Amino acid sequence: MCGIVGYLGRRQALPIIIKGLKRLEYRGYDSAGIALLNGSLDIVKKKGKVIDLENEIGSKPMDATLGMGHTRWATHGEPNDKNAHPHASTDGKLAIIHNGIIENYASLKKELEKSGHKFLSDTDTEVLIHLIEEIKIQNNCNIEEAVRLALNEVVGAYAIVVLSQDEERTLIAARKGSPLVIGIGEDEFFVASDATPIIEYTNNVTYLNDREMAIIKDGSLVVKNLENIVKTPFIQKLELDLEDIEKGGYAHFMLKEIFEQPKSIRDAMRGRLVLREHQLILSGIDQYLNRFINAERMLLIGCGTSWHAGLIGEYLFEDLARIPTEVEYASEFRYRNPVIRDKDIVIAISQSGETADTLAAIELAKSKGSLIFGVCNAVGSSIARTADAGAYLHAGPEIGVASTKAFTSQVTILAMMAMYLGLKKGTIPLSKYQELLNALDSVPDKVSKILSKADEILEISKSFYQATNFLYLGRGYNFPVALEGALKLKEISYIHAEGYPAAEMKHGPIALIDEEMPVVFIATKDSSYEKVISNIQEVKARKGKVIAIVTEGDTEIKGMADFTFEIPNIADPLVPLLAVVPLQLLSYHIAILRGCNVDQPRNLAKSVTVE
Ligand code: M6R
């Protein structure tokens, strides 16, 4: 939640910060603000998007080479001007931007009020800058020390940047639980929630660890922990191209990312699937092969779309590797006192690698001795760094709030893991393993084929974009696809949609079906095909409208559904990789026809770094 960006160098800070905020806008777009320091602190902030902030700034002269900016996803206090960041101290000499939540803000605020502090906003963040101010006064110390002492009193998560009018060429940043990357250029430094605001200026970066501070002053960077111990920053090269974070001619990031899937799926397999040698190379598993082979249970943990990928993972691990598997919502797992054993392997699935619930669930499992395997997209993210081993998706930045290419890459990785363990454990014969390898290799081309018919989905969308409800039904491997299809539709079009196992329909949701209800069936030719046909009949008998995703050449369902969309034939465990693509397109086109902002749907943020 929230994007932060800071700059200290020789160039004008304002354009760098504004451009950076636009790149980080996917993290939240309730309000935006900047603070520039040039003699005095100049703060401008505005409810709405970065464009509203730009309009507010207008042609105001804002000359400074030190500054910071924030784009907000509201937690404490409604989205309005006064709750927008940056927040200032009482004397106006200190300013802060913050991504995260200060959990003990209420008790701190009470104490600060007793000392005479007055608050202008409803935010937890404003409390932190007042705390820093109070500590600075009480200890008569510099801003670096005041921030360090204040953070030792804080409970919660944060990535912050603090500026002080009295220390003209100083920028202090710190993190715990929320991401923060520092870009190191020539005589200039960048601080941001992710590397996208930095990439065009430098590709030398360092990621702060939890409870670490960056002190940028006098042209140099010092990293310390909150115990005041100096750390040597690990400088690494960014593997990110500017074009990865631009729309590349597509109308929206979501559409671009849907169309990138042939490549992103191939990239997930690159170096791992060596077809000519009939081999999978999964070094993350090899590192702990015995533990994987002897695992009593797999626990797959994630949220939202990543949880849906996990559900497919459950089917894959049980089907191919015969390992008992459970998939858990991270937010439930962390609080429900789960049984976790040291022979369990926890697979944490997360595009951003920063989801707070998933991180907390990992910490819990780690404390019980489980091996943690991360399946993340964001390189260097908190989850990737916390895991004992893992496999990156290599999908490139996913900027559209609705996850698309990350999902198919997650499923690709999980499929490779299940196939590999199936072979190692002898639970699938070599012939089936080789057949699945060939099938997996064919996925990118088959996805391209589906995408070449995207217009068919646009036509279907035209008949349904005014619907108020949708049902998505599938069985077996296609049940999680139904859930994912429904999630995609609701998050970007605001149409209420539910996913269900097709056979469960008769236990309740069937009551919803009438001539107004579109029902999307994922009805490919697999082991439950005949049964799904019966479920389609049940919907048709009640005058529901059926949109069916079918296997190429299917004639039976064509005869009964109102609309069909064909996808190429593929082995059952890999069907989700194909079947989800038309559902992503369906939600995209419906949302566009309804005039929705698909890349920045209301109330959502790309990365949920709060509970
Ligand atoms: O970054 P993560 O994969 O951990 O994010 C998990 C969910 O927040 C995310 O998948 C969310 O559900 C997406 N908006 C779905 O499109």
Side-chain angles (χ1 to χ4, degrees):
M1 301 306 150
C2 303
I4 65 177
V5 55
Y7 176 77
L8 194 167
R10 51 200 157 75
R11 311 180 209 223
Q12 283 299 317
L14 182 63
I16 293 172
I17 292 168
I18 292 290
K19 202 184 223 183
L21 289 180
K22 285 184 177 164
R23 300 239 169 99
L24 293 176
E25 208 164 22
Y26 72 89
R27 302 178 67 87
Y29 27 85
D30 288 331
S31 63
I34 50 146
L36 296 178
L37 180 50
N38 184 6
S40 62
L41 264 172
D42 213 349
I43 296 179
V44 185
K45 50 192 195 173
K46 193 73 196 153
K47 175 179 180 211
K49 303 202 167 172
V50 180
I51 184 81
D52 300 302
L53 172 67
E54 279 188 288
N55 291 337
E56 184 70 11
I57 294 169
S59 52
K60 215 171 164 195
M62 297 198 84
D63 177 35
T65 53
L66 168 59
M68 62 187 183
H70 185 271
T71 176
R72 178 172 188 244
W73 186 83
T75 57
H76 293 58
E78 64 178 88
N80 57 24
D81 291 354
K82 74 171 184 180
N83 289 331
H85 298 212
H87 291 284
S89 55
T90 312
D91 63 8
K93 288 185 171 181
L94 306 178
I96 189 169
I97 52 173
H98 169 218
N99 168 32
I101 288 185
I102 306 302
E103 287 170 12
N104 58 338
Y105 83 100
S107 56
L108 293 171
K109 189 170 183 176
K110 229 182 239 163
E111 288 305 308
L112 288 162
E113 276 169 340
K114 280 189 207 153
S115 316
H117 288 260
K118 300 250 177 311
F119 294 91
L120 306 176
S121 79
D122 312 312
T123 66
D124 50 336
T125 305
E126 193 187 12
V127 175
L128 179 53
I129 196 67
H130 281 254
L131 178 65
I132 294 168
E133 179 182 36
E134 183 63 25
I135 288 176
K136 192 169 181 295
I137 295 166
Q138 295 305 329
N139 294 274
N140 190 23
C141 58
N142 65 11
I143 186 65
E144 169 194 334
E145 183 63 357
V147 170
R148 189 183 75 79
L149 293 172
L151 292 180
N152 274 301
E153 290 189 25
V154 153
V155 178
Y158 52 80
I160 56 167
V161 180
V162 178
L163 300 181
S164 165
Q165 194 173 293
D166 293 338
E167 293 171 57
E168 266 283 337
R169 299 303 289 164
T170 305
L171 181 152
I172 308 288
R175 74 154 273 181
K176 180 178 164 249
S178 300
L180 201 67
V181 53
I182 298 169
I184 303 153
E186 249 177 60
D187 306 325
E188 58 183 353
F189 295 89
F190 306 80
V191 176
S193 300
D194 72 29
T196 57
I198 298 175
I199 182 63
E200 65 204 86
Y201 307 104
T202 176
N203 57 9
N204 291 323
V205 296
T206 184
Y207 294 87
L208 279 194
N209 290 312
D210 274 351
R211 294 179 55 82
E212 280 184 355
M213 297 171 61
I215 301 109
I216 301 171
K217 69 174 174 190
D218 305 326
S220 69
L221 162 73
V222 174
V223 175
K224 282 184 177 178
N225 66 14
L226 295 189
E227 283 67 51
N228 216 9
I229 295 169
V230 175
K231 299 277 177 175
T232 309
F234 170 61
I235 315 283
Q236 57 191 96
K237 291 267 175 235
L238 267 182
E239 284 177 24
L240 184 70
D241 289 326
L242 199 51
E243 65 189 40
D244 290 340
I245 54 170
E246 288 176 343
K247 285 191 200 142
Y250 286 92
H252 300 95
F253 282 111
M254 181 180 177
L255 191 62
K256 176 186 175 228
E257 287 154 9
I258 291 173
F259 274 81
E260 273 173 357
Q261 288 176 110
K263 178 175 181 303
S264 52
I265 294 171
R266 179 68 67 203
D267 287 344
M269 297 191 272
R270 198 176 305 285
R272 293 172 174 146
L273 170 61
V274 188
L275 200 60
R276 62 177 186 282
E277 290 166 23
H278 300 296
Q279 250 199 53
L280 282 173
I281 301 170
L282 294 169
S283 51
I285 292 191
D286 283 342
Q287 251 177 291
Y288 294 95
L289 192 57
N290 280 337
R291 281 191 77 171
F292 270 96
I293 287 178
N294 297 315
E296 284 175 1
R297 191 173 59 149
M298 297 280 207
L299 284 169
L300 271 51
I301 292 177
C303 303
T305 288
S306 295
W307 185 87
H308 295 156
L311 196 52
I312 297 171
E314 180 182 15
Y315 288 34
L316 286 162
F317 284 119
E318 296 209 338
D319 185 11
L320 304 178
R322 308 303 297 152
I323 304 174
T325 304
E326 283 168 39
V327 53
E328 296 263 6
Y329 286 113
S331 53
E332 286 298 308
F333 181 80
R334 60 183 290 196
Y335 286 121
R336 71 171 181 76
N337 194 16
V339 175
I340 310 169
R341 294 166 304 212
D342 56 6
K343 282 206 165 169
D344 290 338
I345 292 186
V346 169
I347 302 185
I349 307 168
S350 174
Q351 187 286 127
S352 62
E354 300 294 346
T355 300
D357 284 323
T358 310
L359 254 175
I362 292 175
E363 300 293 354
L364 176 66
K366 224 176 178 177
S367 71
K368 308 276 181 197
S370 298
L371 178 77
I372 313 291
F373 190 92
V375 177
C376 297
N377 193 31
V379 176
S381 56
S382 302
I383 294 176
R385 287 186 296 150
T386 309
D388 298 297
Y392 278 120
L393 305 183
H394 297 307
E398 189 182 67
I399 293 169
V401 165
S403 186
T404 52
K405 65 175 179 174
F407 175 77
T408 45
S409 296
Q410 288 164 341
V411 175
T412 303
I413 299 281
L414 293 169
M416 287 191 289
M417 290 176 71
M419 286 155 60
Y420 188 62
L421 290 172
L423 180 79
K424 293 282 175 197
K425 292 188 71 181
T427 50
I428 45 170
L430 188 62
S431 55
K432 182 163 180 189
Y433 170 77
Q434 290 180 349
E435 201 183 293
L436 284 172
L437 284 190
N438 285 322
L440 191 57
D441 185 64
S442 73
V443 169
D445 288 346
K446 289 180 175 171
V447 171
S448 295
K449 196 167 177 194
I450 293 170
L451 292 170
S452 69
K453 302 189 299 169
D455 284 353
E456 288 180 31
I457 297 286
L458 172 60
E459 285 313 307
I460 298 175
S461 307
K462 286 179 186 162
S463 301
F464 293 103
Y465 76 97
Q466 283 165 324
T468 45
N469 293 289
F470 261 78
L471 259 185
Y472 284 72
L473 302 176
R475 298 178 82 130
Y477 279 106
N478 283 330
F479 160 53
V481 178
L483 294 181
E484 177 59 8
L487 177 64
K488 285 293 85 88
L489 188 72
K490 59 191 152 196
E491 70 180 335
I492 60 168
S493 74
Y494 319 139
I495 296 176
H496 170 245
E498 284 191 52
Y500 255 89
E504 271 294 304
M505 176 181 67
K506 57 186 172 296
H507 298 289
I510 198 163
L512 296 169
I513 291 170
D514 60 16
E515 57 280 8
E516 302 294 318
M517 176 65 98
V519 185
V520 179
F521 275 95
I522 302 104
T524 50
K525 280 219 167 118
D526 55 22
S527 50
S528 357
Y529 180 68
E530 298 300 335
K531 308 233 176 274
V532 174
I533 289 187
S534 307
N535 300 139
I536 294 178
Q537 303 277 23
E538 288 155 12
V539 170
K540 284 315 296 173
R542 288 158 184 85
K543 299 193 165 48
K545 296 276 178 296
V546 171
I547 305 161
I549 308 300
V550 298
T551 306
E552 253 167 23
D554 186 305
T555 47
E556 206 171 341
I557 295 180
K558 263 197 184 143
M560 57 183 93
D562 298 271
F563 295 88
T564 53
F565 182 87
E566 291 189 357
I567 60 171
N569 192 22
I570 198 153
D572 287 6
L574 304 177
V575 171
L577 290 169
L578 306 186
V580 75
V581 177
L583 304 188
Q584 295 168 343
L585 287 166
L586 185 69
S587 61
Y588 172 81
H589 286 303
I590 287 179
I592 295 293
L593 289 165
R594 289 165 74 90
C596 299
N597 183 342
V598 294
D599 281 340
Q600 295 175 342
R602 72 182 178 208
N603 305 338
L604 286 172
K606 182 71 183 160
S607 147
V608 185
T609 55
V610 294
E611 276 194 53

